[in-house]
Amino acid sequence: MDLHRQRLNPYAQVNPPPEIVERFPQWTHDETRELLAIRAQLDRSFTETKRNKPLWEATSSMLQQKGFFRTPDQCKSKWKNLVTRFKGIESAEGEIGKQFPFYEEMRRIFSDRMERLIVFEKEKGKAEESKKRRKVTRKKNLEEEVKDALREFMRRQLEMEARWAEAAEAREVERRAREEEWRRVMESLQEERMEMEKRWREREEERRAREEARSERRHALVMALLDKLSQKFL
C-alpha cells in the first residue's frame, strides 16, 4: 500500500519499517546533508508560509526517496538543532566554526535566504516607489483634470458673458434705434401738426379777409343806397 502511494505521489510519506522506527538511530552526516539539501530546496516555501506541516511531510518523503526514513517531526527537530548550533557558532569568535561539519551548508541556506530577502526588499521598495510615482502621477493627473475642468468652466463662463454682453449691446442698439425712430416720428408729427396749424391760420386769415371784404362791400352798398334815398327825398 505504501509503495503504491509513493508511485502515485513521489512526495507521499512511506512509513518506515517498524525496526527503524523503534531504534531511531542517530543522524549520519550523509543523512544530515540530504536533509539540508532538501531544506535548502524548500526554504523559500518555508519562509513564505506559516503552516509548514505539509512541508515537513514533504521533506520526510523526499528523504525516504533517498533511503533515509525519518518522520516529519524528526526532520523538524533536527533542523531546529542545526539552526541552534549554527547561530551559536555565528555569535562565537575564532575558528570554532570548523568544529561544525555542516557550517557551510547552513551558511549557504541563510545567505540565500538573506539574498532573497534583500531582493524582496528591493523589489518591494521598487514596487512602493512605483506605487508612489503612480500615486503622484494620478495626483498630478487629477490636478490637471481639475485645472482643465476649471479652465473649461471659465472658458464657458467667459463665452456666456460675451454672448450676454453681445445680446445686451444688441438690445441697447435696438432700443436706441426704436428711440430714434420714435423721435423721428414725433418730429414728423410735430412738423405735420405745425404745418396743419399754419394752413389753418392761413385759411382763417383768408376767411376773415373775405368776411371783412364782404362787410366793407355791404357797408359801401348800404351807404350808397342811403345816399340815393336821401337824394331822392330831398
Side-chain angles (χ1 to χ4, degrees):
M1 180 65 177
D2 292 335
L3 293 176
H4 177 66
R5 286 175 56 196
Q6 187 177 16
R7 283 194 298 270
L8 294 177
N9 183 2
Y11 293 145
Q13 183 177 353
V14 179
N15 294 326
E19 62 272 13
I20 295 179
V21 175
E22 291 176 359
R23 291 199 305 269
F24 287 136
Q26 294 293 325
W27 288 72
T28 64
H29 281 199
D30 292 340
E31 190 177 14
T32 302
R33 285 193 171 86
E34 285 295 338
L35 172 66
L36 291 177
I38 296 170
R39 189 56 178 74
Q41 180 181 347
L42 300 177
D43 189 66
R44 180 188 292 272
S45 299
F46 272 99
T47 57
E48 292 177 353
T49 181
K50 294 181 179 180
R51 298 183 59 186
N52 53 22
K53 182 178 179 180
L55 293 174
W56 285 118
E57 291 176 353
T59 302
S60 175
S61 297
M62 294 170 74
L63 270 177
Q64 290 175 17
Q65 293 177 14
K66 299 292 185 180
F68 304 108
F69 293 92
R70 293 290 179 175
T71 65
D73 289 338
Q74 288 177 310
C75 296
K76 181 178 180 180
S77 178
K78 181 62 175 178
W79 168 253
K80 287 184 176 180
N81 291 336
L82 292 170
V83 171
T84 300
R85 289 189 62 187
F86 176 73
K87 289 183 177 180
I89 291 172
E90 283 285 284
S91 61
E93 297 179 357
E95 298 295 326
I96 192 170
K98 295 180 179 180
Q99 301 176 7
F100 183 39
F102 309 108
Y103 177 82
E104 286 300 323
E105 288 87 344
M106 295 293 294
R107 186 189 62 78
R108 280 195 297 271
I109 291 174
F110 283 98
S111 295
D112 292 343
R113 181 184 297 181
M114 184 60 64
E115 289 180 2
R116 289 197 306 271
L117 181 60
I118 292 173
V119 171
F120 173 77
E121 290 297 329
K122 287 182 178 180
E123 292 178 352
K124 182 179 178 182
K126 291 180 180 179
E128 291 178 353
E129 184 65 25
S130 178
K131 183 178 179 181
K132 289 179 180 179
R133 286 197 297 268
R134 289 195 301 270
K135 186 176 180 181
V136 171
T137 302
R138 285 196 299 268
K139 184 178 179 182
K140 289 182 178 179
N141 291 338
L142 180 60
E143 291 176 353
E144 288 299 323
E145 290 177 1
V146 171
K147 290 179 180 179
D148 291 341
L150 288 175
R151 284 194 290 266
E152 181 64 17
F153 173 78
M154 292 301 298
R155 184 185 66 80
R156 293 184 178 182
Q157 192 71 15
L158 291 174
E159 287 181 354
M160 290 177 61
E161 291 179 358
R163 288 195 296 268
W164 179 86
E166 290 176 358
E169 185 177 357
R171 288 193 298 270
E172 180 65 17
V173 171
E174 184 179 359
R175 183 188 65 80
R176 291 177 180 176
R178 287 197 302 269
E179 288 182 353
E180 182 65 22
E181 181 65 22
W182 179 82
R183 185 184 62 79
R184 287 196 299 268
V185 170
M186 292 305 294
E187 288 179 352
S188 178
L189 291 174
Q190 181 69 15
E191 292 177 356
E192 184 178 352
R193 185 181 65 80
M194 292 176 66
E195 184 65 24
M196 290 176 64
E197 289 180 352
K198 179 181 178 182
R199 288 196 298 269
W200 178 83
R201 283 193 300 269
E202 290 176 350
R203 287 195 300 269
E204 187 65 19
E205 290 177 356
E206 290 177 356
R207 185 187 62 80
R208 282 198 300 269
R210 288 193 301 270
E211 286 291 329
E212 289 177 356
R214 283 197 297 271
S215 178
E216 288 177 355
R217 286 195 298 271
R218 283 195 303 270
H219 180 70
L221 181 59
V222 170
M223 292 301 295
L225 289 174
L226 289 174
D227 287 341
K228 288 180 179 181
L229 288 174
S230 63
Q231 291 176 2
K232 181 178 182 181
F233 290 105
L234 290 176

